[in-house]
Amino acid sequence: MAPDCVTPLAYLILPNLPLLLMRHKLSLLSHGLINVECLLLGILSLYLPRVAVFVLLVLEIAGAFIYEICYSFQFPLTDLVASVGSLSALPAVRKVEFWLALAGVTAVSAVLAFAIPRPQRRRRAAIALLVLTLAASAVDFLDGQNPVIRPPYLRMDLALVQERLTLSPWITLGVRGVSYYKLAAKTRNTHDLPMQSASAAMFAQLKDTAAGAQPDIVLVVVESWGKFTDARKAEALTDAYADPRISAAYKVSGGTAPFDGTTVQGEVRELCHSHLGFGVFHVSASESEHCLPEKLEAKGYSTYGIHGYLGDMFQRKSWYKKLGFETILFGPDLEKQGLPVCPGAFTGVCGPSVPSWIGEHLLTQGTREPRFVYWMTLNSHVPLPLDPRLPPDHLCESFPELQNSAALCSWFRILHAVHSSIAELALDVEKRPTVFVMVGDHAPPFSDAALRQNFVGEVVPYIILMPKSLEKPVDAHGSHGSPTPLAISEGKHRGTEHESETASGN
């Protein structure tokens, strides 16, 4: 191989290897194969000191990881930086993967900066690198994968291929940062407009219940519960709520709520009906006044926040308190209560075991004050365990897509078990009126594009169980009584809603 060709080929191939090797392990969504910024950096490497080249390469190749994390989990860069403090709470296997990725970035950068001999004909090598940059970018342009400029012969909703060839992490992070800044500014300018949510739809229903009713409220945000594009799968996933005993005791309704971002954004949507997102890390007293824990505490409720992992993850231990939860329980607390631990992306308390514990310890018959119980589930977080430690079942046999994907099958079985355990809890506390709200935080971020196509990308499903015992009595004139004082005015908070005697989950 001619010496002048070594540098262009090295910068075409080597910078992409760490991400290619670790992408699946880290459950990142592919958004390009060739880092064109590294190709341009290769031109600079012909003239800059080798130490400077090494530093720039580390930043550039690490930037590809940073971008794909932001892309996969819909983080703006500022939110990713804000969550860096949660790294210590990551499982040991995640920490090992992080160090492996960093070692790969460092090794490749060192090889490119110090081991590759510089060509004698630098201009020829520079031209070759520029040609590679333009050629790779042209492929994405012609295939309609350029997010800024599209050929006139392509319709805006079509692309010739499904995957991008090129990756330009820092440029894209900059463009997305500007977009997020504009969106945040728009949100600040319209802060009085609440965000649609399942919990707001529930409060809208409570306005139509019997006067004076103060039922217990159980709000469950279900990790990675996305809206299936196939109604049959959606119905099978939540078939526990189609139990005739449930429909006899509860009015079952469902709908969708918008999602934008990751789990924290989904939690804030439901707890505060807000676009605040990671701003909840620094939530002010005036902002927390609008969130459910403080609102319900003011109405005499005892409030509980539950999560099956460490409280340091995403600073939940801090902002759960700021939102007004009186009692906060995380994984170690629940383990001390005897709840089992399950494997997964974040090894923590097994989801199906939590509802029965809530019923036994929090929704007891002897307490007078109403309870607000908030539970953020855990085990359905991607990547999923091959063996989710559930009783044997045949749930995946009815759908070829589930049979053909161990990941999708595990996801389905875990969520089905969680919904089934919530339905059992609803039947156990039937005599103590309790409203149940189950809603997804975001669609499951599978790294396989074919799996992601099973889900709608803009909304998540929710299901509400409203006790029929709360229905307004009909007076002699055929009209209902006055509205309940519990009703919290939500204005335009309502999500898209439908009612059914059996929950479809759509």
Side-chain angles (χ1 to χ4, degrees):
M1 182 182 296
D4 292 345
C5 297
V6 173
T7 297
L9 288 177
Y11 275 85
L12 176 67
I13 298 171
L14 293 182
N16 307 298
L17 292 181
L19 184 59
L20 289 174
L21 293 174
M22 295 299 297
R23 180 179 275 150
H24 181 70
K25 275 286 185 183
L26 297 173
S27 299
L28 301 180
L29 306 183
S30 174
H31 205 231
L33 300 175
I34 298 173
N35 190 334
V36 293
E37 291 177 9
C38 279
L39 293 175
L40 296 175
L41 184 54
I43 298 175
L44 295 178
S45 74
L46 301 172
Y47 306 98
L48 292 176
R50 289 184 180 271
V51 173
V53 173
F54 172 75
V55 172
L56 290 173
L57 281 168
V58 169
L59 292 173
E60 181 57 49
I61 301 173
F65 280 92
I66 292 170
Y67 168 66
E68 289 218 352
I69 291 171
C70 291
Y71 173 72
S72 300
F73 300 101
Q74 293 301 296
F75 278 124
L77 182 58
T78 52
D79 287 351
L80 181 62
V81 172
S83 64
V84 167
S86 301
L87 289 177
S88 61
L90 288 174
V93 66
R94 283 297 190 201
K95 294 177 182 176
V96 170
E97 291 166 353
F98 170 80
W99 288 113
L100 284 175
L102 184 59
V105 169
T106 305
V108 167
S109 300
V111 169
L112 287 169
F114 301 114
I116 302 291
R118 287 182 170 173
Q120 295 180 348
R121 300 175 182 178
R122 296 186 183 185
R123 181 178 297 179
R124 180 175 294 182
I127 292 173
L129 284 163
L130 183 60
V131 169
L132 287 173
T133 302
L134 295 175
S137 301
V139 171
D140 279 343
F141 173 77
L142 294 173
D143 282 339
Q145 292 290 340
N146 189 301
V148 180
I149 306 172
R150 297 174 66 92
Y153 57 81
L154 284 180
R155 289 170 49 189
M156 290 302 293
D157 58 343
L158 294 177
L160 299 180
V161 296
Q162 294 297 319
E163 301 292 337
R164 287 180 61 178
L165 176 64
T166 61
L167 176 69
S168 50
W170 289 112
I171 292 174
T172 311
L173 281 170
V175 172
R176 284 176 174 258
V178 172
S179 299
Y180 275 113
Y181 176 80
K182 291 180 178 179
L183 179 61
K186 181 179 179 182
T187 301
R188 287 193 297 270
N189 293 333
T190 58
H191 64 277
D192 58 325
L193 297 179
M195 187 176 188
Q196 291 180 348
S197 65
S199 58
M202 178 269 294
F203 280 113
Q205 289 189 24
L206 274 174
K207 292 178 183 179
D208 297 326
T209 58
Q214 282 196 308
D216 291 335
I217 298 172
V218 176
L219 170 60
V220 184
V221 177
V222 182
E223 172 63 49
S224 298
W225 180 23
K227 175 179 166 63
F228 266 121
T229 56
D230 182 353
R232 292 190 312 119
K233 294 192 190 74
E235 291 171 359
L237 183 63
T238 59
D239 59 6
Y241 306 119
D243 188 317
R245 295 173 298 167
I246 291 287
S247 57
Y250 295 89
K251 182 180 74 171
V252 183
S253 63
T256 59
F259 79 87
D260 179 21
T262 57
T263 298
V264 170
Q265 284 95 330
E267 290 188 86
V268 175
R269 179 193 70 221
E270 296 302 327
L271 289 172
C272 302
H273 308 156
S274 168
H275 295 271
L276 187 62
F278 278 90
V280 76
F281 289 180
H282 311 287
V283 64
S284 66
S286 61
E287 289 171 324
S288 66
E289 289 177 356
H290 302 288
C291 298
L292 297 188
E294 284 201 23
K295 281 188 171 184
L296 291 171
E297 183 183 14
K299 294 182 177 294
Y301 276 71
S302 299
T303 58
Y304 300 82
I306 300 173
H307 190 270
Y309 194 60
L310 301 177
D312 293 327
M313 191 65 184
F314 291 127
Q315 304 180 32
R316 286 188 177 94
K317 184 165 58 178
S318 172
W319 61 267
Y320 275 19
K321 290 181 181 178
K322 291 180 180 179
L323 294 189
F325 283 111
E326 292 179 290
T327 303
I328 303 173
L329 297 158
F330 292 107
D333 306 306
L334 298 173
E335 289 179 44
K336 291 177 182 177
Q337 298 282 336
L339 273 67
V341 172
C342 282
F346 299 94
T347 301
V349 170
C350 302
S353 69
V354 175
S356 60
W357 183 89
I358 290 174
E360 181 179 353
H361 293 272
L362 302 185
L363 302 180
T364 57
Q365 297 291 334
T367 57
R368 285 189 174 183
E369 74 277 2
R371 305 291 179 95
F372 171 56
V373 180
Y374 168 72
W375 171 35
M376 176 71 233
T377 75
L378 174 69
N379 308 123
S380 48
H381 196 292
V382 175
L384 295 145
L386 185 62
D387 177 14
R389 295 187 184 175
L390 294 170
D393 57 54
H394 304 283
L395 292 170
C396 299
E397 295 179 4
S398 301
F399 301 98
E401 296 90 344
L402 302 184
Q403 284 185 310
N404 297 333
S405 170
L408 191 58
C409 180
S410 289
W411 175 90
F412 190 94
R413 294 180 64 215
I414 291 170
L415 262 66
H416 187 274
V418 167
H419 285 298
S420 297
S421 63
I422 295 171
E424 291 175 6
L425 171 61
L427 292 172
D428 289 342
V429 299
E430 176 187 349
K431 294 181 180 179
R432 180 183 172 101
T434 304
V435 180
F436 291 87
V437 183
M438 290 67 66
V439 60
D441 55 353
H442 54 74
F446 288 114
S447 57
D448 187 336
L451 296 185
R452 297 198 306 275
Q453 291 176 359
N454 284 284
F455 302 92
V456 177
E458 298 82 23
V459 296
V460 288
Y462 69 75
I463 291 174
I464 299 172
L465 305 183
M466 185 65 63
K468 290 186 175 180
S469 60
L470 297 179
E471 292 179 350
K472 291 180 183 178
V474 179
D475 60 25
H477 302 287
S479 61
H480 295 282
S482 58
T484 169
L486 173 65
I488 297 176
S489 177
E490 300 298 343
K492 299 178 182 178
H493 284 173
R494 304 182 71 169
T496 304
E497 183 179 347
H498 67 261
E499 295 182 3
S500 62
E501 288 303 316
T502 58
S504 70
N506 269 346

